[in-house]
Amino acid sequence: IGAIIDHTRHRKSVGKYASYCIIAFSAIAISICEETFALMMALFLLGGFCFAVSSCATNAYLPDFKMNQEEMGRFSASYYTVRFTVMVFCLLFITGLSVL
């Protein structure tokens, strides 16, 4: 996957379709129940793979910014801090909804 993203012109489309798959798998996962648990596990595995592909496509754009190492380090750190903070708030929100 990394070779396709780094060495072809398909970087944007790979990231875009991986993101679409994550959204689709998450939407399908809403209907989880005991009867569909095995299917949902497969979808979660595919969603995790698509997340890794999307992350790889996002990281492939970093060298195009033409920053020095220190600037790129600060940019990457702030990007991942925001990304994981949003993920934590999303998980807390969903957990709060499930408790109600």
Side-chain angles (χ1 to χ4, degrees):
I1 299 295
I4 293 170
I5 291 171
D6 286 339
H7 301 294
T8 67
R9 57 184 167 82
H10 302 292
R11 180 188 311 175
K12 184 177 179 181
S13 61
V14 168
K16 179 173 64 173
Y17 291 120
S19 298
Y20 289 158
C21 288
I22 293 169
I23 293 168
F25 294 154
S26 297
I28 294 169
I30 292 171
S31 64
I32 193 168
C33 64
E34 287 184 35
E35 293 81 26
T36 61
F37 186 74
L39 174 65
M40 295 304 151
M41 288 301 294
L43 287 178
F44 282 125
L45 289 172
L46 289 173
F49 174 74
C50 289
F51 179 76
V53 170
S54 175
S55 181
C56 185
T58 302
N59 289 334
Y61 281 103
L62 285 176
D64 294 345
F65 292 139
K66 306 277 191 267
M67 294 184 270
N68 64 33
Q69 292 287 34
E70 187 176 314
E71 286 177 312
M72 189 176 290
R74 276 197 309 268
F75 179 78
S76 296
S78 63
Y79 168 74
Y80 281 107
T81 300
V82 169
R83 181 175 165 179
F84 288 116
T85 302
V86 169
M87 289 170 79
V88 166
F89 282 122
C90 182
L91 288 172
L92 290 173
F93 177 72
I94 292 172
T95 302
L97 286 178
S98 67
V99 170
L100 297 176

